[in-house]
Amino acid sequence: MSHITSPSYITRLMKKWGFSTKKRFGQNFLIDQNIVERIIACAQIQEGEWALEIGPGLGALTVHLADQAAHVVAMEIDTSLVAILRDTLQTPKATIWEGDALEADWRKLLEEAGWQGQPLRLVANLPYYLTSPLIMKALESALPFASMVVMVQKEVALRMLAEAGSKDFGILSLAVQYYAKGRMAMNVPRTVFLPSPAVDSAVVELIPRTPPVDAPRDELFAVIRAGFGQRRKTLRNALKTLMDEWPAGELSPESIDQALLRANIDPTMRAERLSLEEFSVLTKELLKGV
Ligand code: SAM
């Protein structure tokens, strides 16, 4: 089925179905079979495992996922693509679900397709306009993903994998570190897509893991959000927004200062210098103060 990535095949298919790509859905189709095969190899699908795909498009990845996985469930928002996919992917091993992947109940969709808890692989060439929310949804899903292999804009890949102190470091980097071990799998030039986007891409592999820190999750992320909500402010000032927000209540400027002191963190630092471990220590100290 390598023809799915051939530009002449895609042009003919689009003409036959009267389909033109929609920018608002982030439609950039893969036209390089070598890249497709490398993404599939990266997913390392083992016998009996299921695959979940976001945004199958014309099916460049889907056809391989259906071949290698016990079953693939692919979520596609564009009605016209769903019709094309159902026509081209004539296999009982693929379920095409039509709708918004961000709104969908992934567990329910999988179960409706016959999934019984087998290990999963998430594989997606993500629509650019929804990358972070979809990655967050996958990380927070509590589904048994053995790995997630996602193609994203290069700049997002750098943010996902950034370490404390770097300019790309932020909430997304901390969320990725909290839930998974991440790695840059490959750089992908803009020329392998139709239409060609304005930026280069990269494939990131995430292996979910038990969080490496022990602060309560919701409070930890409230502290992280407060810290980065006002990136340019010192931690001491940025954390003050927690005083209104934190349901546990009763944080004061003094208790924030004391928590920073006990956590051994300079209150004049900015959030982008704090590691996940330091955010965890700080959260626990802030909780003692309330
Ligand atoms: N997988 C195909 C490929 O690699 O050639 C297409 C990838 S294209 C970058 C992104 C795909 O996601 C498009 O097919 C688009 O219609 C679909 N999409 C966009 N927003 C979506 C959403 N909220 N839920 C599900 N699919 C979505």
Side-chain angles (χ1 to χ4, degrees):
M1 285 293 255
S2 61
H3 63 272
I4 290 194
T5 47
S6 127
S8 61
Y9 168 79
I10 293 179
T11 311
R12 255 184 293 129
L13 194 68
M14 284 171 51
K15 203 164 166 205
K16 177 178 158 198
W17 289 82
F19 175 80
S20 40
T21 53
K22 301 179 187 73
K23 214 171 169 183
R24 71 175 188 283
F25 287 150
Q27 289 173 352
N28 300 98
F29 301 125
L30 273 166
I31 51 167
D32 185 314
Q33 193 55 27
N34 178 40
I35 298 283
V36 166
E37 280 166 21
R38 285 173 63 195
I39 294 172
I40 298 295
C42 186
Q44 293 187 55
I45 299 168
Q46 310 294 308
E47 204 181 327
E49 289 182 345
W50 278 52
L52 183 65
E53 186 185 6
I54 302 168
L58 292 167
L61 297 165
T62 328
V63 65
H64 294 275
L65 295 173
D67 187 40
Q68 294 198 9
H71 198 93
V72 56
V73 173
M75 303 173 276
E76 174 57 61
I77 200 168
D78 188 333
T79 312
S80 14
L81 282 176
V82 170
I84 302 177
L85 275 168
R86 289 196 176 135
D87 187 62
T88 39
L89 277 175
Q90 303 267 0
T91 161
K93 286 175 76 192
T95 302
I96 310 299
W97 180 82
E98 180 182 339
D100 184 344
L102 194 59
E103 300 296 323
D105 179 340
W106 295 359
R107 183 177 292 272
K108 190 159 156 253
L109 295 189
L110 284 159
E111 283 170 357
E112 281 170 3
W115 179 69
Q116 294 176 323
Q118 293 93 329
L120 290 166
R121 303 278 173 174
L122 181 82
V123 181
N125 171 11
L126 289 172
Y128 289 161
Y129 75 105
L130 267 188
T131 310
S132 299
L134 285 168
I135 289 172
M136 287 308 300
K137 179 165 174 138
L139 291 170
E140 289 172 349
S141 71
L143 284 166
F145 286 115
S147 69
M148 306 174 186
V149 175
V150 288
M151 170 117 72
V152 298
Q153 284 183 47
K154 178 84 183 288
E155 164 253 323
V156 178
L158 295 175
R159 278 173 35 218
M160 288 171 72
L161 302 173
E163 295 291 341
S166 94
K167 70 172 173 34
D168 296 314
F169 187 66
I171 300 178
L172 186 62
S173 336
L174 285 157
V176 165
Q177 282 180 26
Y178 182 81
Y179 289 104
K181 198 161 167 37
R183 154 183 104 79
M184 184 75 96
M186 70 179 107
N187 287 308
V188 179
R190 65 193 78 181
T191 48
V192 304
F193 301 96
L194 185 94
S196 175
V199 292
D200 291 324
S201 293
V203 175
V204 174
E205 179 195 51
L206 301 174
I207 310 280
R209 63 172 171 191
T210 310
V213 295
D214 60 359
R217 184 185 70 172
D218 291 351
E219 284 79 0
L220 171 66
F221 279 95
V223 173
I224 291 173
R225 275 195 308 274
F228 283 96
Q230 294 165 306
R231 246 187 128 94
R232 303 199 159 272
K233 286 199 176 172
T234 62
L235 272 172
R236 170 190 277 143
N237 284 328
L239 292 176
K240 283 186 188 153
T241 54
L242 275 178
M243 295 189 318
D244 317 319
E245 197 187 288
W246 206 325
E250 312 218 350
L251 269 183
S252 64
E254 295 72 40
S255 61
I256 291 174
D257 270 354
Q258 283 159 14
L260 283 160
L261 194 69
R262 288 196 304 273
N264 214 3
I265 295 167
D266 176 354
T268 65
M269 248 170 41
R270 289 183 172 71
E272 64 222 34
R273 303 207 66 82
L274 243 57
S275 67
L276 180 61
E277 177 60 32
E278 287 170 314
F279 268 113
S280 171
V281 173
L282 174 59
T283 304
K284 289 187 287 181
E285 292 302 338
L286 284 165
L287 284 170
K288 282 185 200 161
V290 297

